[in-house]
Amino acid sequence: MIDLQNLRKEYTNNLVAVKGLSLKLERGDIFGFIGPNGAGKTTTIKMLATLLRPTSGRAFIDGIDVTREPEKVRGIIGYMPDNFGVYDDIKVWEYLDFFAAAYKIPRNKRPQIIDDVLELTDLTGKKDAYVEELSRGMKQRLCLAKTLVHEPQVLLLDEPASGLDPRARIEIKELLRELKAMGKTIIISSHILPELADFCNKIGIIEQGEMIVSGDVGEIMRQVTGGQVLDLRVVEEDLEACLQHLERLGSVRAARVVDRDIKVEYVGEPELTHEVLSALVGAGIRVKAFTEERTNLEDIFMKVTRGVVS
Amino acid sequence: MREPNPVLIREWRVRMRGRRTRWFILAWLLWLSGAALQAYSGWLPGAGAGSDVPTELTAHLISRSLFQTLISIQLLGAVLLAPILTAGSVTEEVERGGYEHLILSGLSGSEYVLGRFAGALGVFVLLVLLSSPVLGLVFFFGSVSPEQLLAASLLIVSFGVLALGCGSLASSLFRTSPAAIIGAYAIQAAFFLLLWASRFPLAAAFPADTADWTPFHDLMSPMEAVGSGEVAVYLLAAPALPVWVICVTLMLSAVLAVSVARDRIPQWDGCGTARSQLLTTLWGLWLWVGFVGPPIHTLSWRLPLPEEAADLVLIPIGACLCCVGAAVGMLPPFTEPAAPGSGHFLTRAFGFGLVGILSAGAITSVTCVLEHPLGADWSQRWVFPAVLASSGLAILCRMTRGVIRSRGNPIVALQQTAKPSDRSARP
Ligand SMILES: Nc1ncnc2c1ncn2[C@@H]1O[C@H](COP(=O)(O)OP(=O)(O)O)[C@@H](O)[C@H]1O
Ligand SMILES: [Mg+2]
């Protein structure tokens, strides 16, 4: 659905904001684009949104070249900029009506579409309110509503949750989950990781214009930590025996005790983690709990950008 | 059926309902009425101006002074306030962050600029219409005919249209609204300077018997001083242009300004399209042929120069004006978000303002030189270098702009050095 090939952007002041980015996303992917401020996220997203011309390299959305046929691309993308803006003195529905009209949606279809997006963004009750009366979180959702009026297949969201309070963040997250369920392909950028942790299936970490890692969340975890982390809890007395036993297993690189749990660095086949458990149980070790530790984006982020971010 | 322009509908909804518009109209009417009252009170018995017994003559004078005051204020309003209505049309959208959405929605530059222009024009015409009851006061005192009032109102609308056009153009040239407003005034001033230098008989726009006291008369008087009386002769001898010619002139200029603005609506970080360059060149040429050429040419017979030599002066100035037009068309639009302190705006304002003022100044000085023939060799020595220097400066402006821009953005440069270049930490 989205294909970036060696995308590069040099600004007129000789600053290279994006240095040869490549990326491939399938339909329905939710891609978390993570990087510190000034890493080049906005620049990349703007190039995809046909708002900036890449210095070199190519980008395709649904097989359409963004520089060759920007008009076609514009019809299938919804872009939400980081500095969202709304006008004063205009009502919520008028605001959406204006953008729907700008997208050349026929007049008789507009009321239905406006009701739909208001429903989706949970703003139905604010239909006749003035935009300036909305809270910041509502404005953000209204901004998202406006990017949805033409039913885009691809959403490019630049820091959609920045500057919001926790409650508004959760509301945005829920909205994004709904969009995910609708099968939209989404690129969402952020410099804060927990924001993206839950609903992305792919992430990319960009830093100083270069994609350091990108791909499946679990895969990246394996790349970075060299494997998966298993969480074990055994009966106190069996702790020593368990550690010794684990060290003998070929699929385990290391095991260490954190609090009273054992963290196991597993480097074997991802589908065969249960073999570790059966081996331990077979050796008579009383296992109380055995879990695959959830991929922790924050860990990845800190590991990858160590020494560069802070 | 064709759908109405969405921008115009939005403008209509926002502006007509807006509290700001209502207060603005109220303030305007209060000011107008106050001025009328003040002009009238000067004639009241005991004020010392008129005689205690109102006569036909005082009524005549009152009506004239009322007319003069009200028309002057409206003209001032057109010239000073109208540019503000459109100067924000592009920049405001950029500042509010809605601009990118408009590009993405596929709304065309024409739709956008024309929608904003039409919305602003609506407000302006509404203002003029709402003022008409106050203006109608003059009829109580006779001596001003309805046709005269209508002609004056038409002229005010034309000036308003020109001012709105200047606002639109400035909005597509500058990065921020305040800059665009100043830019709009500068463009307008350059235009009037051009008219003034060409001694375009603006005063003739007014009915013959009122021409001697129209606001334009004051506008023209500095030229009279320069021309040591001879200009007055020229002015009087100038064929009185009918009001409609002047209205059409002003409106055509506005149309050209708006179409250039429309073509300059930035979509990609490129330069103005060939069409807008052609249009601006034509604009310069047209102003030249229409306004500047004839008076200079008329004067040339007074010079101890052969007629061909005078034409030799005309051609480089015309070319210079065309260069100005083309330069405006070539200015790159601003798609990339404003990098703070890039100096982009400053150099652009500087370059554009300088080019406009220089060319207008060049024309003025040339006409003055022609007016005061200090001997054939004197004008020959100065006119040509002056023309050459002004075109040279115009080119230099474009170059300095490039130089200052390439020197880059100090803030970005700072960020670059602040970032650690060490990336051995990366796994
Ligand atoms: N219009 C511009 N002109 C020059 N440099 C820019 C411009 N926009 C952004 N930059 C620079 O490009 C780099 C990347 O910026 P950006 O893409 O906005 O980063 P992010 O969105 O990841 O915070 C930054 O160093 C920024 O200063
Ligand atoms: Mg950003």
Side-chain angles (χ1 to χ4, degrees), chain A residues 85 87 94 110 208 210, chain B residues 3 17 93 96 100 423:
Chain A
Y87 317 96
E94 289 171 346
R110 277 184 242 152
Q208 290 198 346
E210 283 176 89
Chain B
E3 296 251 346
R17 192 177 48 210
E93 206 67 51
R96 286 166 166 177
E100 291 169 333
R423 42 185 69 213

Side-chain angles (χ1 to χ4, degrees), chain A residues 11-13 15-18 35-44 52 82 158-159 189 191 206, chain B residues 336-339 409 412 415-416 419:
Chain A
Y11 281 112
T12 39
N13 52 11
L15 184 119
V16 187
V18 174
N37 281 325
K41 303 181 295 289
T42 301
T43 307
T44 309
L52 270 182
D82 50 355
D158 200 357
E159 314 226 355
S189 86
H191 64 276
I206 184 175
Chain B
E336 300 187 350
N409 171 354
V412 172
Q415 282 177 349
Q416 268 174 310
K419 273 182 191 159

Side-chain angles (χ1 to χ4, degrees), chain B residues 23-225:
Chain B
W23 285 115
F24 182 70
I25 288 175
L26 188 69
W28 172 253
L29 288 180
L30 278 178
W31 185 30
L32 214 58
S33 324
L37 202 67
Q38 210 208 344
Y40 176 64
S41 66
W43 296 98
L44 284 177
S51 68
D52 286 352
V53 187
T55 62
E56 212 169 291
L57 181 66
T58 45
H60 176 71
L61 289 175
I62 289 172
S63 127
R64 282 187 152 208
S65 105
L66 266 183
F67 188 60
Q68 180 182 9
T69 309
L70 293 176
I71 295 290
S72 309
I73 288 179
Q74 288 215 311
L75 270 178
L76 209 65
V79 170
L80 293 183
L81 300 178
I84 299 175
L85 289 175
T86 45
S89 47
V90 180
T91 48
E92 252 174 34
E93 206 67 51
V94 174
E95 282 157 7
R96 286 166 166 177
Y99 183 73
E100 291 169 333
H101 279 276
L102 293 183
I103 291 185
L104 293 182
S105 70
L107 198 79
S108 71
S110 320
E111 274 178 296
Y112 185 69
V113 169
L114 291 179
R116 290 291 298 237
F117 184 84
L121 187 63
V123 172
F124 186 78
V125 170
L126 187 77
L127 220 58
V128 171
L129 285 181
L130 285 175
S131 317
S132 54
V134 183
L135 252 85
L137 284 177
V138 296
F139 294 130
F140 285 113
F141 305 97
S143 159
V144 176
S145 72
E147 291 86 51
Q148 282 178 332
L149 188 65
L150 194 75
S153 295
L154 203 67
L155 202 71
I156 286 162
V157 172
S158 309
F159 271 98
V161 170
L162 176 69
L164 294 173
C166 290
S168 285
L169 181 61
S171 201
S172 75
L173 285 172
F174 297 90
R175 252 177 212 282
T176 63
S177 296
I181 290 172
I182 296 169
Y185 287 143
I187 295 171
Q188 212 182 5
F191 183 83
F192 282 123
L193 213 61
L194 205 68
L195 287 189
W196 176 67
S198 69
R199 272 161 290 152
F200 181 73
L202 277 176
F206 280 83
D209 68 316
T210 57
D212 56 328
W213 49 261
T214 55
F216 296 119
H217 195 259
D218 296 335
L219 201 72
M220 306 306 264
S221 50
M223 197 62 203
E224 264 181 86

Side-chain angles (χ1 to χ4, degrees), chain A residues 53-124:
Chain A
R53 192 196 283 281
T55 313
S56 65
R58 300 175 79 181
F60 299 89
I61 292 186
D62 207 7
I64 309 166
D65 191 326
V66 296
T67 46
R68 298 251 168 90
E69 294 174 290
E71 290 82 16
K72 261 192 182 170
V73 171
R74 285 167 191 169
I76 55 171
I77 59 166
Y79 166 66
M80 181 166 161
D82 50 355
N83 59 332
F84 70 98
V86 281
Y87 317 96
D88 321 319
D89 268 342
I90 193 165
K91 289 177 180 170
V92 167
W93 76 267
E94 289 171 346
Y95 180 72
L96 293 174
D97 186 64
F98 168 61
F99 280 100
Y103 271 106
K104 307 272 182 301
I105 294 167
R107 203 191 329 205
N108 52 358
K109 288 197 183 138
R110 277 184 242 152
Q112 185 57 45
I113 289 176
I114 290 171
D115 284 346
D116 287 349
V117 294
L118 283 175
E119 173 85 42
L120 186 69
T121 51
D122 203 16
L123 286 171
T124 308

